[in-house]
Each structure stands twice: as structure tokens, then as C-alpha cells.
Amino acid sequence: MDNFFPRFRFSSAAYFWNGVTGADKYQKYLAYHRSTGCSSAPMNEREFWRDYTDRQDKNPQGRCC
């Protein structure tokens, strides 16, 4: 039981950190793609991030950086 809590804290902290930094966006995209039953293949991770940054550049919104 003692080994459970350090792993639980680390995984919780990692989950929180990925959510704050946006590192989990690709995983959320894949889950959404699967849930909608889209007939086309999902973008690979490189294509996803390229598309994501291109969209941000074309539609600037208030963000910290």
C-alpha cells in the first residue's frame, strides 16, 4: 500500500501538468476522432501540432505567450 501513494501522486501531478500545458491535446483529439466515427484516418501527431499552431497563428486569441 505504501508504494501506491507515491505513484498515485506522481500520476496525478503528471495528469494535471499535461492538462495545464496542453500536452494532452493530441490524446483528446484522438478520443474525439474515435467517438465521432469519422471515416478518414486521424492526423498523426506531427500533422496535428502543425495544424494546431497554424490555426493559432491565423486566429490569434488572448493567451499568455
Side-chain angles (χ1 to χ4, degrees):
M1 189 78 160
D2 291 334
N3 290 336
F4 172 75
F5 291 111
R7 280 186 283 167
F8 177 72
R9 277 190 238 141
F10 177 74
S11 64
S12 296
Y15 177 79
F16 174 76
W17 181 254
N18 286 338
V20 169
T21 61
D24 62 346
K25 287 187 186 303
Y26 182 67
Q27 297 304 320
K28 288 181 180 179
Y29 159 72
L30 289 177
Y32 176 77
H33 193 274
R34 280 190 300 268
S35 70
T36 58
C38 187
S39 61
S40 64
M43 292 184 274
N44 65 32
E45 191 167 3
R46 185 178 184 142
E47 292 170 336
F48 170 79
W49 287 112
R50 174 66 56 110
D51 181 63
Y52 180 76
T53 55
D54 288 348
R55 286 177 191 253
Q56 283 185 329
D57 289 343
K58 289 178 185 172
N59 304 309
Q61 299 173 356
R63 55 183 193 259
C64 68
C65 307

